């Protein structure tokens, strides 16, 4: 069924009685979106969980720094490319076609990894390896230095980067579009249905992560990288088929123009008109409308009713985006701390005592380092249904359900506590390694660890999991609800773009504290060993930055809620 605006809805089950449930008539569409996201996330974590181990292994022989750089570039692309994915959907393809194209692109890129993992296909793609001795730069030498070549030959680098680029672009486009596309399936059922959809959407993300981290990462580290990369490739193929078959039940709409294009045109016109206005009033006494040079009056000058070339609706959409931007900026430190879970938290875990896993094979299997992130995902899987079915309805009946911005603030508090807990644990670990270290081999690399069980990291992962339930879910909900209809994909793209900015800020901060003048993250004697570094100072610094940002965010959120309440004509103290 197609409306006047070109929006297409299924013929059956388009409308049901309010008492039939928030998802009545839309369960098939929502289920297809959630299953697609689950499989896509399983494939994503199948690539990222052991990518450094794969590139650093004997098959390709990349240096640890080179492998880490490749992963950082890939993660940055998956987030920073999201605005482009939103623009592609809004201006050219529509969300449904953009998602299908991105899944096909991801599938094409994913094919590179099982081919690189298999010796025969790797030789065909990259040629025969040149004989070279792979040095272990993580183990200290008797004189206290690690002797390594200046640069290691990155075997199969072109094929690897092409595969990562294709997957990264596909993931970025999915990120920007599948969240608002899924919410579109229940948008006419009211904010309660939207809130519940976001809860279950995030639940699906973490179920995909658990399936991938629990099974795929174990297979990659202990069995075979070929099998370990073939599984996520199949996941992307199945996700493509599920979403393709779901076209019959999806609510879709055609592209109606890019909010980014309109935004840049309006901003350029506003700047130019402001310059002309300033020139006209430069010799005046400053009396008149130009003395009230605010953001609102600046953008209002672009409206047709004020002599500008743009419609009222487009100008109001840009004004709404400007109001949302400070919230996204305030979330950058949150994401900076959050991405430590995949980087410095893992680095810390490799220098704690990791248990072996009994195996029927002759070689004992080791506990995969990537499994630690499952504590975060498992916690989310357990708590989101509890929150959705019990906590939120109870708070709503009592009139105490906080706004999305207040929930983001709570998430910031918990992520600050996670960084602080990591700093305390690292301080204890450094005290222990001064007395005794144990050698453990992980992925054919020897690490000199403290005699302290890895389970002491569980609290910091639990705290990050709790923070996700509040900050990340509420952030998605806020981005969707605060965005005008014409720019929902664009705003979602900006949400993930600032997530990527947070990742790069963390990388830059890590590089800063690694300078020899500071020396928190590099001993400059053994570049693979953190036992003579001060990783605890880095964690405490992150906690302090997040704490200061939390105070600023509380000010921003209160101001935004008041503005939203005045615009809606609802008192701020009764808003959900």
């Amino acid at each position: 069924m197609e409306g006047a605006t070109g929006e297409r809805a299924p013929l059956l089950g388009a409308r049901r009685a309010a008492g039939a449930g928030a998802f009545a008539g839309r369960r098939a569409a929502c289920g297809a979106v959630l299953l697609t996201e689950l499989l896509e996330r399983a494939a994503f974590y199948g690539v990222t969980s052991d990518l450094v181990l794969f590139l650093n292994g004997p098959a390709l022989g990349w240096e640890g720094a080179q492998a880490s750089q490749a992963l950082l570039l890939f993660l940055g692309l998956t987030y920073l490319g999201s605005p482009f994915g939103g623009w592609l959907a809004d201006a050219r393809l529509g969300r449904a076609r953009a998602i299908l194209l991105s899944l096909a692109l991801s599938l094409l890129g994913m094919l590179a990894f099982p081919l690189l993992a298999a010796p025969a296909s790797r030789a065909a793609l990259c040629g025969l390896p040149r004989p070279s001795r792979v040095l272990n730069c993580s183990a200290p030498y008797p004189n206290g230095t690690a002797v390594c070549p200046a640069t290691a030959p990155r075997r199969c680098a072109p094929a690897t980067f092409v595969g990562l680029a294709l997957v990264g672009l596909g993931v970025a486009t999915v990120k920007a579009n599948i969240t608002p596309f899924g919410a579109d399936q229940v948008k006419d059922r009211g904010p309660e249905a939207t809130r519940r959809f976001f809860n279950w959407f995030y639940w699906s993300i973490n179920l995909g992560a658990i399936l991938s981290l629990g099974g795929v990462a174990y297979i990659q580290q202990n069995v075979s990288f070929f099998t370990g990369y073939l599984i996520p490739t199949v996941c992307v193929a199945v996700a493509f088929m599920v979403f393709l078959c779901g076209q019959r039940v999806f609510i879709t709409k055609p592209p109606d123009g890019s909010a980014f294009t309109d935004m840049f045109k309006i901003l350029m016109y506003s700047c130019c008109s402001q310059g002309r206005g300033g020139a006209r009033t430069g010799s005046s006494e400053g009396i008149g409308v130009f003395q009230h040079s605010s953001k609102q009056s600046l953008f209002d000058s672009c409206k047709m009713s004020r002599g500008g070339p743009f419609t009222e609706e487009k100008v109001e959409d840009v004004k709404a985006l400007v109001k949302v931007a400070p919230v996204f900026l305030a979330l950058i430190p949150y994401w900076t701390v959050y991405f430590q879970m995949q980087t410095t938290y893992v680095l810390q875990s490799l220098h704690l005592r990791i248990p072996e896993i009994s195996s029927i094979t002759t070689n004992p299997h080791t506990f995969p380092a990537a499994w630690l992130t499952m504590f975060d995902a498992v916690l989310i899987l357990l708590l989101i249904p509890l929150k959705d079915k019990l906590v939120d309805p109870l708070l709503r009946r009592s009139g105490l359900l906080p706004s999305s911005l207040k929930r983001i603030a709570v998430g910031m508090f918990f992520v600050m506590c996670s960084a602080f807990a990591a700093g305390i644990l690292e301080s204890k670990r450094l005290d222990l390694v001064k007395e005794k270290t144990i050698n453990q081999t992980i992925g054919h690399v020897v690490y000199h660890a403290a005699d302290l069980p890895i389970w002491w990291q569980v609290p910091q992962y639990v705290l990050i999991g709790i923070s996700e339930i509040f900050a990340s879910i509420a952030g998605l909900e806020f981005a969707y609800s605060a965005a005008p209809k014409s720019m929902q994909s664009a705003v979602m793209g900006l949400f993930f773009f600032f997530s990527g900015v947070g990742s790069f800020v963390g990388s830059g901060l890590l590089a800063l504290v690694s300078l020899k003048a500071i020396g928190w993250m590099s001993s400059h004697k053994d570049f693979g060993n953190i036992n003579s570094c001060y990783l605890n100072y880095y964690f405490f610094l992150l906690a302090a930055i997040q704490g200061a940002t939390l105070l600023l965010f509380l000010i921003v959120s209160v101001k935004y809620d008041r503005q939203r309440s005045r615009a809606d004509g609802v008192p701020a103290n009764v808003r959900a």
Side-chain angles (χ1 to χ4, degrees), residues 17 28 46 120 179 222 231 235 250 252 271 304 361 375 382 394 399 460 550:
T179 310
N222 292 296
I231 294 173
C235 286
F250 287 150
T252 61
C271 294
M304 289 181 176
T361 62
F375 287 106
L382 294 177
L394 181 62
Q460 63 203 56
L550 174 58

Side-chain angles (χ1 to χ4, degrees), residues 232-266:
T233 304
V234 172
C235 286
V236 174
V238 175
F240 178 85
M241 295 304 301
V242 168
F243 198 83
L244 182 64
C245 295
Q247 301 299 306
R248 299 177 56 189
V249 295
F250 287 150
I251 296 174
T252 61
K253 66 175 184 178
D256 53 3
S258 168
F260 282 117
T261 303
D262 296 335
M263 178 183 68
F264 285 123
K265 288 181 179 179
I266 291 173

Side-chain angles (χ1 to χ4, degrees), residues 281-360:
T281 60
S283 60
S284 68
E285 298 179 1
I287 300 176
V289 295
F290 294 106
Q291 69 183 6
H292 305 291
S293 180
S294 64
K295 289 182 181 178
Q296 183 173 355
S297 62
L298 178 65
F299 289 124
D300 284 345
S301 66
C302 302
K303 296 180 178 179
M304 289 181 176
S305 60
R306 304 287 182 89
F310 302 100
T311 63
E312 307 276 326
E313 182 181 3
K314 288 184 177 180
V315 175
E316 291 299 322
D317 288 352
V318 173
K319 288 166 64 177
L321 177 62
V322 171
K323 293 178 182 178
V324 170
V327 177
F328 290 169
L329 286 170
L331 276 169
I332 288 177
Y334 171 83
W335 295 115
T336 299
V337 179
Y338 175 82
F339 284 115
Q340 305 306 311
M341 180 174 60
Q342 303 174 28
T343 53
T344 54
Y345 282 15
V346 174
L347 183 64
Q348 185 185 52
S349 70
L350 293 172
H351 292 81
L352 295 169
R353 189 173 72 244
I354 298 178
E356 292 184 348
I357 300 175
S358 60
S359 172
I360 59 175

Side-chain angles (χ1 to χ4, degrees), residues 85 88-90 93-103 170 173-174 177:
L88 185 66
D90 288 340
L93 299 178
R95 290 173 187 159
R97 291 180 180 177
I99 293 171
L100 277 175
L101 175 63
S102 62
L103 290 173
T173 307
V174 170
N177 292 293

Side-chain angles (χ1 to χ4, degrees), residues 4-319:
T5 61
E7 184 170 306
R8 185 172 62 82
L11 290 172
L12 298 177
R15 299 279 183 177
R16 296 289 171 91
F23 298 146
R26 305 288 167 77
R27 287 189 174 89
C30 291
V33 172
L34 295 177
L35 181 57
T36 299
E37 179 64 7
L38 185 155
L39 292 168
E40 190 271 340
R41 288 291 87 188
F44 172 79
Y45 285 105
V47 172
T48 60
S49 59
D50 282 326
L51 181 64
V52 171
L53 187 63
F54 173 63
L55 297 178
N56 191 227
L60 299 181
W62 291 32
E63 285 184 353
Q66 294 171 336
S68 299
Q69 184 183 25
L71 179 56
L72 286 173
L73 291 173
F74 172 71
L75 291 174
L77 181 61
T78 62
Y79 285 95
L80 297 180
S82 292
F84 170 76
W87 172 85
L88 185 66
D90 288 340
R92 293 290 182 264
L93 299 178
R95 290 173 187 159
R97 291 180 180 177
I99 293 171
L100 277 175
L101 175 63
S102 62
L103 290 173
L105 201 63
S106 295
L107 177 59
L108 183 62
M110 285 296 305
L111 290 172
F113 294 97
L115 292 177
L116 289 173
S121 55
R122 182 171 62 245
L125 283 173
C126 313
L128 295 176
R130 288 175 295 180
S132 61
R133 180 169 174 251
V134 178
L135 297 178
N136 178 10
C137 300
S138 292
Y141 282 71
N143 62 355
T145 62
V147 180
C148 294
T151 57
R154 294 183 296 188
R155 190 185 178 204
C156 301
T160 301
F161 282 118
V162 168
L164 288 175
L166 292 176
V167 176
L169 290 173
V171 169
T173 307
V174 170
K175 278 181 181 293
N177 292 293
I178 197 167
T179 310
F181 181 82
D184 283 345
Q185 311 307 310
V186 295
K187 65 181 178 180
D188 60 337
R189 303 301 174 91
E192 169 65 9
T194 301
R195 182 194 62 78
R196 292 192 61 192
F197 171 80
F198 281 122
N199 280 341
W200 289 106
F201 181 84
Y202 216 78
W203 188 87
S204 300
I205 288 176
N206 284 276
L207 179 59
I210 285 179
L211 294 176
S212 184
L213 295 171
V216 176
Y218 180 88
I219 292 172
Q220 289 173 345
Q221 182 168 317
N222 292 296
V223 180
S224 165
F225 270 106
F226 174 77
T227 305
Y229 279 130
L230 186 62
I231 294 173
T233 304
V234 172
C235 286
V236 174
V238 175
F240 178 85
M241 295 304 301
V242 168
F243 198 83
L244 182 64
C245 295
Q247 301 299 306
R248 299 177 56 189
V249 295
F250 287 150
I251 296 174
T252 61
K253 66 175 184 178
D256 53 3
S258 168
F260 282 117
T261 303
D262 296 335
M263 178 183 68
F264 285 123
K265 288 181 179 179
I266 291 173
L267 289 175
M268 290 298 296
Y269 183 87
S270 299
C271 294
C272 294
S273 64
Q274 178 71 2
R276 293 193 298 268
R280 289 197 299 268
T281 60
S283 60
S284 68
E285 298 179 1
I287 300 176
V289 295
F290 294 106
Q291 69 183 6
H292 305 291
S293 180
S294 64
K295 289 182 181 178
Q296 183 173 355
S297 62
L298 178 65
F299 289 124
D300 284 345
S301 66
C302 302
K303 296 180 178 179
M304 289 181 176
S305 60
R306 304 287 182 89
F310 302 100
T311 63
E312 307 276 326
E313 182 181 3
K314 288 184 177 180
V315 175
E316 291 299 322
D317 288 352
V318 173
K319 288 166 64 177

